[in-house]
Amino acid sequence: MPRLLVFLLALLAATADRALSNPVVNEAAGRVDRVIVVHEGELLGSESRVIAALQKQLSTMSSRPLLLTEASPAEKAAAMPWLAASLPSIPAAWPEPWKDAQTVVVLQVLAPRGKKPQRTSGGLGGRLVFRAPEKAPVYVERIEGTQGASLDAESLAKWLRGALKIAAVKESR
Amino acid sequence: MSRRAIVCCLIVAASSLAESSQAGDRKLEIMLTNMTPDARSSEASKTCVRALEEILRADYANVQRIGETALRKQVGKTAGEPFFDWPSAALLPVKGRAGTDVRYIDTLILVDCQPEAKQLDVLVHPPDGAVVRFGVRSVPLDKDTVRWVAEAALRRAWSGFSP
């Protein structure tokens, strides 16, 4: 019995470790909505906790599968110019992982401030909403500076519901 | 009235005075400018800006308006430069001398709303000076969308606020 308990705890820990990198649901055939987290270096524990809390709420937000992942290098390269100070030229193609997506939402977590072990979160930076098939975002929120808004799962979830709703408007009209 | 009653009244009065003089409670002072170009301004555009203003005002904020011409003079950008690119430093002087009856403006919010073009730009210069720019394109600017953007802008508008 204790051995079974240890096994179950180990399984639980392994699942928690992979929570951010794995999709919240299996990719279904057809369109999905994606939430991409862009950040510099490693997320702080407190930041990962907020993202994990947000992930728990995703299943109630969209009629399509909604996937939350950390940005791959290609996704980061596609998103960063829109989050930077000057408006970029529209890319010819989306990153490969976005090609099956109806809506792509990008959340930027700014680089932590200070040095280990006293780093503090840089907070929420910019946000983007892309709507297929348009290559330019329908929503850009860009911050000038190095300190963002406080990361909070509840307000992020509320904002995300709105983002998915406005991105879906064109489809229903 | 007995001496004891007078003493009680004085204690109550003193304690209420002490409460009213406590620091730390004031509304956010917002200065709002409608930057929609005259040629593209319409009743829908004005309604959009008013809706945004109402949402800001409802969150414990005083909202005052300043005209685009007056703002541009204070910023030193009178040649029609697009406001969306104005840096934080350019807007900072406006907060200290807005020519209004408040001593200091916490947050500047500049709005260009063009529902006909499905285009909304908002610039927020919060108390900590970290400017945030919001741009919406190709989305119908109905009440829900304006509210969604206004709430995001409002969250940034309080950044660095200290009563």
Side-chain angles (χ1 to χ4, degrees):
Chain A
M1 186 66 182
R3 201 172 283 175
L4 180 64
L5 193 63
V6 169
F7 172 74
L8 286 173
L9 284 172
L11 190 66
L12 193 66
T15 310
D17 281 348
R18 291 201 309 263
L20 188 60
S21 57
N22 277 359
V24 75
V25 293
N26 291 327
E27 292 192 37
R31 298 264 167 167
V32 298
D33 290 330
R34 288 185 175 273
V35 180
I36 313 294
V37 180
V38 173
H39 58 93
E40 294 296 330
E42 189 184 353
L43 284 174
L44 299 182
S46 57
E47 294 168 339
S48 295
R49 195 166 170 269
V50 170
I51 301 299
L54 177 65
Q55 192 169 39
K56 283 182 186 166
Q57 301 185 44
L58 296 186
S59 59
T60 61
M61 286 189 196
S62 176
S63 54
R64 282 185 290 270
L66 181 54
L67 316 175
L68 173 72
T69 55
E70 288 188 65
S72 67
E75 290 174 310
K76 195 172 176 182
M80 283 311 291
W82 295 99
L83 297 167
S86 56
L87 283 177
S89 56
I90 295 169
W94 276 16
E96 193 61 35
W98 296 8
K99 286 184 178 165
D100 64 346
Q102 177 61 41
T103 307
V104 176
V105 177
V106 177
L107 306 175
Q108 181 189 29
V109 178
L110 295 178
R113 295 189 304 171
K115 290 182 179 175
K116 282 184 179 178
Q118 293 183 322
R119 292 184 300 174
T120 55
S121 175
L124 176 68
R127 295 185 280 204
L128 305 171
V129 180
F130 292 89
R131 180 181 59 192
E134 296 159 50
K135 300 292 188 296
V138 294
Y139 175 85
V140 175
E141 183 177 337
R142 205 167 62 221
I143 182 166
E144 181 183 312
T146 55
Q147 181 59 50
S150 64
L151 271 174
D152 150 42
E154 280 306 312
S155 60
L156 270 178
K158 186 181 176 197
W159 177 88
L160 188 54
R161 282 191 186 92
L164 295 169
K165 193 173 165 190
I166 70 149
V169 164
K170 194 178 178 184
E171 295 170 61
S172 60
R173 286 188 179 177
Chain B
M1 189 184 286
S2 72
R3 186 175 293 172
R4 188 172 292 173
I6 293 171
V7 169
C8 284
C9 286
L10 284 172
I11 289 169
V12 169
S15 64
S16 71
L17 274 175
E19 277 174 20
S20 64
S21 64
Q22 275 183 346
D25 181 30
R26 68 177 179 89
K27 292 184 176 182
L28 183 74
E29 300 291 342
I30 295 176
M31 180 69 77
L32 178 78
T33 302
N34 183 353
M35 302 293 287
T36 312
D38 289 346
R40 293 177 194 165
S41 184
S42 64
E43 200 46 52
S45 163
K46 288 171 187 162
T47 303
C48 166
V49 177
R50 275 198 299 270
L52 197 136
E53 180 180 351
E54 286 310 309
I55 292 161
L56 299 173
R57 200 185 295 278
D59 188 37
Y60 209 57
N62 289 323
V63 183
Q64 301 175 63
R65 291 259 202 149
I66 181 173
E68 180 180 349
T69 307
L71 178 83
R72 283 184 175 277
K73 276 183 187 168
Q74 292 190 29
V75 178
K77 294 186 184 294
T78 54
E81 297 91 333
F83 76 92
F84 214 55
D85 297 328
W86 294 354
S88 176
L91 289 160
L92 205 53
V94 180
K95 291 185 166 180
R97 54 181 175 90
T100 62
D101 56 353
V102 290
R103 280 177 296 173
Y104 190 80
I105 301 299
D106 296 300
T107 301
L108 287 170
I109 298 183
L110 316 184
V111 187
D112 174 354
C113 188
Q114 301 178 34
E116 294 87 351
K118 296 182 182 175
Q119 182 176 318
L120 170 62
D121 287 334
V122 180
L123 182 150
V124 177
H125 190 294
D128 64 9
V131 168
V132 185
R133 297 172 176 84
F134 301 82
V136 178
R137 295 290 181 275
S138 311
V139 171
L141 297 178
D142 56 20
K143 274 185 183 174
D144 287 347
T145 303
V146 173
R147 170 167 288 280
W148 178 70
V149 176
E151 285 176 352
L154 187 56
R155 187 149 185 256
R156 301 286 192 171
W158 284 87
S159 181
F161 174 76
S162 173

